[in-house]
Amino acid sequence: ETGVTQTPRHLVMGMTNKKSLKCEQHLGHNAMYWYKQSAKKPLELMFVYSLEERVENNSVPSRFSPECPNSSHLFLHLHTLQPEDSALYLCASSEQGSYGYTFGSGTRLTVV
Amino acid sequence: GDSVTQMEGPVTLSEEAFLTINCTYTATGYPSLFWYVQYPGEGLQLLLKATKADDKGSNKGFEATYRKETTSFHLEKGSVQVSDSAVYFCALSDRSWGKLQFGAGTQVVVTP
């Protein structure tokens, strides 16, 4: 247990479904991140939240919608995904201005 | 912009062999440098870090030295074990913010 908890660990969804990924940290960090990790591709930074405000959105399709209701929780809402969105989605947190992230174990998403 | 380049894998070696994974970076300022490790089915874990030139990070028998003159942060371990099989990511952090930029990752496979 790293201090960053992601649920669910595995998710299979159809292209017409709506689902949400959840990330929770109780490390007192004030920045949270969503990364996408696809096979044979570098880690892709999707969204950055600092002090509950979205500060970065790296050209992510609108079918991915993040939400950060407080500094301890981060969600990624998914709708009408495509098979190429199948990947490991990683959440991380950090203390802004300090060094290094703490990662969750990820959610393995399969879109069928 | 800032970037990290690391050697492509997979790197396959026998138990007790010497491991080196090369990492070089491009940055406008004086970043902090990190190595993360990802074991199968898990998220990324911080392995070691160095925050200024000539610093040496070490953990679990792994070492890396921040070389400003060659803009490098190569990871080394003198005698690997099967349990070291994982994907290793080099990363740098913009000091003013803390956001991490990752390399593509290097898979290491250690055989008995």
Side-chain angles (χ1 to χ4, degrees), chain A residues 9 37 56 97 99 101 103-104, chain B residues 32 36 38 41 44 99-100:
Chain A
R9 289 296 305 272
Q37 187 177 30
E56 190 159 330
Y99 306 119
Y101 294 177
F103 279 86
Chain B
S32 296
Y36 280 80
Q38 184 178 32
L44 279 69
K99 189 176 69 173
L100 279 174

Side-chain angles (χ1 to χ4, degrees), chain B residues 47-85:
Chain B
L47 181 59
L48 53 85
K49 67 182 180 187
T51 58
K52 62 183 187 297
D54 299 325
D55 267 3
K56 177 186 282 189
S58 61
N59 186 24
K60 298 182 181 179
F62 289 90
E63 292 184 341
T65 301
Y66 189 141
R67 300 286 188 202
K68 184 166 171 284
E69 63 277 12
T70 55
T71 61
S72 65
F73 192 54
H74 304 322
L75 183 68
E76 297 181 336
K77 185 174 185 181
S79 177
V80 293
Q81 305 300 312
V82 172
S83 57
D84 294 323
S85 297

